[in-house]
Amino acid sequence: MKNDFDVGLGESATLIGSHNYASQELVNLLLIGSAFSNVFDGTQEIKAHNPMEKSLKLRGVPQRGSIGFLTLFEHYEYMQVGNHYKTPTYPIWVICSESHYSILFSTEEMLVEGTEQKKPETFDLFYYDELGRQNETYRLTVNPDPVRRVKHPTSDKDLISPIEHCIRTKWPGAAVGKFSNL
């Protein structure tokens, strides 16, 4: 498993990071069975400036998994999640938002690639956050291609929830309906 970790970045990778949080390697191990250090698709190579030095090979998600992954960090442009995680076999995504993980899923199997069915104009996503002291699952109605695309807020009055930001990393500009309890 340690062979999955990226090497040559100064620190050695671990499964448990600072403040006892799960590292990306642990999340990847649980979701795809390999403890790779990144969430982009495949492998990326960083060439050394000096021809005497080795290039650095970074490993991401090698293929589409059963469960996906979305993160608020992509909204803030700290990282880019690849299509392998954005289009899992089943319409289930682990969400890394703020300081913990939660789950987003749909009963609409046509949301994943490989289905012959027409994609719906709107669909429901269900959100559950155990650490948010949430006692019920919330339903969000999503229009992935609204007539008027949603843009980033321009003022503090335009507050958008972190979950909506995560949803828009997969469906850019999507209109997300208000949370509703089931």
Side-chain angles (χ1 to χ4, degrees):
M1 174 183 54
K2 285 202 172 223
N3 291 335
D4 292 345
F5 297 171
D6 286 344
V7 294
L9 297 175
E11 286 183 31
S12 61
T14 62
L15 295 179
I16 304 296
S18 60
H19 308 290
N20 291 322
Y21 286 169
S23 69
Q24 190 62 53
E25 288 84 357
L26 179 58
V27 173
N28 288 347
L29 180 62
L30 295 171
L31 293 179
I32 62 170
S34 297
F36 297 135
S37 300
N38 302 288
V39 295
F40 52 73
D41 291 346
T43 302
Q44 294 182 7
E45 190 169 341
I46 299 174
K47 302 276 186 203
H49 292 292
N50 181 343
M52 301 300 286
E53 295 177 2
K54 289 174 120 179
S55 61
L56 180 62
K57 189 179 279 192
L58 303 175
R59 290 182 288 180
V61 181
Q63 62 193 24
R64 198 170 141 204
S66 297
I67 296 174
F69 179 79
L70 302 173
T71 178
L72 186 60
F73 295 116
E74 182 171 14
H75 164 75
Y76 293 124
E77 300 178 353
Y78 293 141
M79 63 174 52
Q80 185 172 4
V81 177
N83 285 327
H84 293 326
Y85 261 154
K86 288 185 180 179
T87 57
T89 305
Y90 302 103
I92 304 167
W93 295 269
V94 170
I95 303 293
C96 176
S97 176
E98 299 168 323
S99 64
H100 65 281
Y101 298 92
S102 53
I103 193 83
L104 188 69
F105 65 94
S106 180
T107 58
E108 303 280 350
E109 290 189 28
M110 67 218 33
L111 293 179
V112 296
E113 289 184 5
T115 59
E116 300 301 319
Q117 300 172 1
K118 184 180 178 227
K119 303 285 189 250
E121 287 186 29
T122 64
F123 54 88
D124 289 332
L125 291 174
F126 301 91
Y127 175 69
Y128 183 73
D129 182 354
E130 173 69 25
L131 286 179
R133 301 192 194 286
Q134 180 181 331
N135 294 324
E136 57 273 318
T137 302
Y138 290 104
R139 179 175 51 207
L140 299 100
T141 301
V142 177
N143 181 342
D145 194 25
V147 174
R148 190 172 138 254
R149 313 260 315 153
V150 176
K151 297 183 180 178
H152 292 292
T154 55
S155 74
D156 289 340
K157 294 177 187 173
D158 299 329
L159 292 178
I160 295 177
S161 79
I163 298 309
E164 288 184 49
H165 287 311
C166 289
I167 290 169
R168 289 190 188 107
T169 64
K170 174 157 176 52
W171 294 282
V176 180
K178 299 294 182 201
F179 283 87
S180 63
N181 293 356
L182 290 180

